[in-house]
Each structure stands twice: as C-alpha cells, then as structure tokens.
Amino acid sequence: MQEQEMPSAPTSAQENETPAETEEITYHAVEKDGQVTAIWEMKGRKHLRTIDPRSRFGREILRHYTPDTTEEAEAASSS
C-alpha cells in the first residue's frame, strides 16, 4: 500500500501563486530589414499576444523603446 502525501493548506495568498504568476510582462520587437514588424507581449517565456506596431498601443510601446545599440554607442562616446 502506498501513502499519498496530501498538500497542506497554504497559510497566505502568496503561497498560492506560481512562479509564472509573479513573472513580469515584457515586450519584444520583431524586426525584418530594419523595420519593426510585430511586438510580442511575453510573460516569462510564454507568448501572450502579438501587437501590431502600427496600432495605438504598439506606437506607445515603441515610443518608450530605446535600442541597446544606441545606449552602448552613447557610453562609448562619453568615455
């Protein structure tokens, strides 16, 4: 006869959360020939949805986007 361990009742709401629930949402630009063709909304490694960069929300995301290469170039020129 095998014993089955029953999970104990959680003592707080945070113990109920899985790691996927605590992951932050990030946005990834998909580029082709130097143009952003799509924006992926991700939660951890899970793809939630694809956003059209021409949409209002897509333009808002891109407005806040700064390419890493620009930041590296600015750091190199100030040294």
Side-chain angles (χ1 to χ4, degrees):
M1 179 184 234
Q2 291 183 342
E3 282 187 41
Q4 290 184 341
E5 186 176 329
M6 298 297 289
S8 60
T11 57
S12 71
Q14 286 184 335
E15 289 181 20
N16 267 341
E17 292 181 7
T18 62
E21 292 174 355
T22 59
E23 301 235 12
E24 67 179 44
I25 293 177
T26 57
Y27 298 93
H28 301 266
V30 179
E31 295 183 55
K32 182 177 180 182
D33 299 327
Q35 297 292 319
V36 176
T37 58
I39 302 168
W40 289 350
E41 184 177 66
M42 307 287 286
K43 187 170 188 179
R45 295 182 65 190
K46 183 180 178 185
H47 176 256
L48 298 176
R49 65 178 172 156
T50 301
I51 301 166
D52 186 340
R54 299 170 294 182
S55 70
R56 184 176 53 83
F57 188 55
R59 289 191 309 266
E60 183 178 324
I61 292 169
L62 290 174
R63 185 172 34 240
H64 297 288
Y65 169 75
T66 305
D68 293 337
T69 54
T70 304
E71 292 173 4
E72 291 170 6
E74 289 174 4
S77 65
S78 64
S79 299

